[in-house]
Amino acid sequence: MATLSTPTVQHPPTASDVTLWVNGAAHRLALDHRTTLLDALREHLGLTGAKKGCDHGQCGACTVLLDGRRTNACLVLAVAADGAHVTTVEGLSDGEQLHPVQRAFLHHDGFQCGYCTPGQICSAIGVLAEAADGQPSQVTPLPGAQDGAPEPGAPVPLTPAEIRERMSGNLCRCGAYPNIVRAVDEVAP
């Protein structure tokens, strides 16, 4: 009588080597494929500026800049960010010299408890870049629709309404919104 042999099942690897360029430095990490960028930053690199708020991409507390674009780090798998450049709030200052957005948040008291502040600051930097690149928002006037509408591709003026709309993905439980708008307005061109 012939015996049946059990076929050998080979499972795909559950971890990968990932290189993340964080605040200008390369970090080679062996990470489980399920590790989010937020968890890689906080748990593997000790960068705790980006906060885990809702863990569903709804509050913005985990906002970082991923290749210059604001991103909810809780929604990005670290393996998907392999080779990408990540800027966290810890990487914004130049030594003791704060980034202009950080200075504006201090000047206008754009924080209370401070939990959401790192995400707010990173998001504000993204907002400034998006508007400078001419990316419209929901409230940007359509060209030809009314006076003051920017030409397609031209920088979008950051009015308080634009700032509020563009920052709407970052929640502040303390309600520091008016001061956040003033801070962003101060650094807007």
Side-chain angles (χ1 to χ4, degrees):
M1 176 175 223
T3 60
L4 297 174
S5 63
T6 305
T8 303
V9 178
Q10 292 193 343
H11 298 282
T14 59
S16 291
D17 289 331
V18 176
T19 300
L20 298 174
W21 288 85
V22 182
N23 300 328
H27 299 274
R28 187 88 172 142
L29 304 168
L31 297 173
D32 182 292
H33 292 156
R34 299 166 293 183
T35 304
T36 64
L37 177 58
L38 178 61
D39 287 336
L41 293 170
R42 292 181 60 81
E43 306 300 327
H44 296 271
L45 298 178
L47 297 171
T48 57
K51 302 294 190 266
K52 188 175 278 198
C54 66
D55 213 20
H56 295 289
Q58 297 176 352
C59 73
C62 65
T63 304
V64 298
L65 301 172
L66 182 63
D67 288 333
R69 296 182 57 118
R70 57 191 171 136
T71 303
N72 290 335
C74 72
L75 296 181
V76 176
L77 293 175
V79 294
D82 186 23
H85 292 265
V86 180
T87 303
T88 67
V89 72
E90 293 94 341
L92 296 176
S93 64
D94 183 11
E96 295 295 316
Q97 183 67 30
L98 295 178
H99 186 280
V101 173
Q102 290 172 308
R103 285 195 310 270
F105 266 70
L106 286 171
H107 179 254
H108 291 281
D109 195 23
F111 55 91
Q112 286 182 24
C113 79
Y115 194 82
C116 72
T117 306
Q120 296 275 1
I121 289 171
C122 286
S123 189
I125 292 169
V127 162
L128 293 167
E130 292 163 12
D133 287 344
Q135 296 176 26
S137 77
Q138 187 66 27
V139 299
T140 304
L142 296 173
Q146 56 185 329
D147 291 337
E151 292 296 320
V156 176
L158 283 175
T159 63
E162 280 283 351
I163 294 168
R164 283 191 298 274
E165 171 64 24
R166 290 170 185 265
M167 293 292 293
S168 65
N170 290 79
L171 303 180
C172 174
R173 291 182 178 179
C174 299
Y177 297 118
N179 297 346
I180 291 168
V181 171
R182 285 184 202 101
V184 177
D185 185 50
E186 178 181 302
V187 294

